[in-house]
């Protein structure tokens, strides 16, 4: 029957998409940009020449001591001698991953790698994904805070509500680098803008309409 054929086709398409996604994330060469790259979507590439013993002695010991001493003397010079200012930490504990829910830190890694490549593709910013096995908001915030010397900014991602608000609040109040929570400052802002635009197009005032929200996750609460 037509309905049965349509359902079968939808199932087949979903299965094909799933297999393509698994191939994309594996070590398959069909999607690789870097020769010999392994599984996943990111890698680390050196930005300085490493062609000789002299180069290596500058990149590491003994030459690396010079910038270390300068940074110890004046912490602001870390922006001159390291990549810190252009590296974002993408951090999640895997408690609210896309439509998958609490799948755990390890299973959230493909999503966090995905966010890292979006930073690189669309903003030219390097990002490192960090999946942390900690659900207590205060302990998670303490871990994030301890990472501040390594990164120029923090992007909190897929941490369930209401704990995410506490983690974000503590980090923003106590850290000296920007802290961004994707659901609050990303999804919520876009949705709020869409609502505002719809009201303008419909020539209605927000006080005169009733808004219905399905679910009360971080983005919905932030809106």
């Amino acid at each position: 029957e037509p309905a049965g054929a349509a359902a079968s086709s939808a199932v087949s398409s979903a299965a094909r998409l799933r297999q393509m996604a698994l191939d994309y994330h594996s070590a398959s060469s069909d999607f690789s940009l870097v020769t010999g790259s392994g599984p996943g979507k990111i890698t680390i590439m050196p930005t300085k020449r490493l062609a000789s013993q002299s180069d290596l002695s500058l990149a590491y010991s003994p030459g690396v001591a010079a910038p270390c001493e300068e940074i110890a003397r004046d912490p602001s010079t870390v922006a001159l001698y390291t990549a810190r200012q252009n590296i974002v930490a993408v951090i999640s504990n895997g408690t609210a991953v896309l439509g998958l829910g609490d799948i755990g830190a390890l299973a959230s890694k493909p999503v966090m790698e995905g966010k890292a490549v979006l930073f690189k593709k669309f903003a030219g910013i390097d990002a490192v994904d960090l999946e942390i096995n900690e659900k207590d908001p205060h302990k998670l915030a303490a871990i994030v805070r301890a990472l501040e010397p390594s990164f120029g900014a923090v992007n909190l991602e897929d941490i369930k509500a209401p704990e995410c608000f506490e983690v974000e609040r503590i980090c923003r109040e106590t850290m000296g680098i920007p802290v961004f929570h994707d659901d609050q400052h990303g999804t919520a802002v876009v949705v709020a803008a869409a609502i505002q635009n719809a009201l303008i197009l419909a020539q209605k005032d927000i006080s005169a309409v009733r808004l219905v929200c399905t679910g009360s996750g971080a983005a919905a609460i932030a809106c």
Side-chain angles (χ1 to χ4, degrees):
E1 295 182 28
S8 177
S9 176
V11 170
S12 179
S13 295
R16 285 196 300 272
L17 176 62
R18 177 179 175 81
Q19 188 56 55
M20 286 180 64
L22 291 174
D23 290 343
Y24 182 95
H25 287 82
S26 72
S28 171
S29 61
D30 294 342
F31 299 98
S32 295
L33 291 174
V34 181
T35 302
S37 62
K41 300 186 286 283
I42 58 177
T43 189
I44 294 177
M45 300 287 288
T47 59
K48 295 296 190 292
R49 187 184 62 205
L50 298 169
S52 65
Q53 182 176 342
S54 176
D55 291 342
L56 294 174
S57 69
L58 293 173
Y60 197 55
S61 185
V64 75
C68 290
E69 292 169 339
E70 289 299 307
I71 295 168
R73 180 183 60 80
D74 179 1
S76 69
T77 60
V78 70
L80 296 176
Y81 301 119
T82 76
R84 178 179 182 265
Q85 78 280 5
N86 199 53
I87 301 179
V88 172
V90 178
I91 298 177
S92 180
N93 63 359
T95 53
V97 181
L98 300 178
L100 303 174
D102 186 353
I103 60 175
L106 184 63
S108 75
K109 189 169 181 63
V111 178
M112 303 313 128
E113 283 191 357
K115 176 53 71 73
V117 299
L118 293 181
F119 271 112
K120 187 64 174 179
K121 173 67 176 178
F122 296 109
I125 298 173
D126 293 322
V128 176
D129 62 294
L130 298 172
E131 295 74 32
I132 299 174
N133 273 321
E134 181 54 71
K135 293 186 177 181
D136 181 278
H138 291 89
K139 292 180 179 178
L140 180 57
I143 294 170
V144 175
R145 292 173 57 200
L147 294 168
E148 182 171 346
S150 297
F151 300 100
V154 169
N155 179 82
L156 300 173
E157 183 90 8
D158 291 349
I159 302 169
K160 77 179 185 73
E163 289 88 343
C164 61
F165 300 113
E166 184 68 1
V167 174
E168 186 259 355
R169 181 190 66 78
I170 294 172
C171 291
R172 285 175 64 90
E173 290 179 356
T174 58
M175 297 178 73
I177 58 176
V179 178
F180 170 90
H181 181 215
D182 180 70
D183 301 288
Q184 291 181 69
H185 309 131
T187 307
V189 169
V190 171
V191 171
I195 293 172
Q196 185 178 43
N197 189 53
L199 291 169
I200 293 172
L201 293 175
Q203 297 183 337
K204 292 184 177 182
D205 188 89
I206 193 168
S207 64
V209 301
R210 176 178 296 176
L211 300 176
V212 179
C213 178
T214 58
S216 57
I221 293 173
C223 276

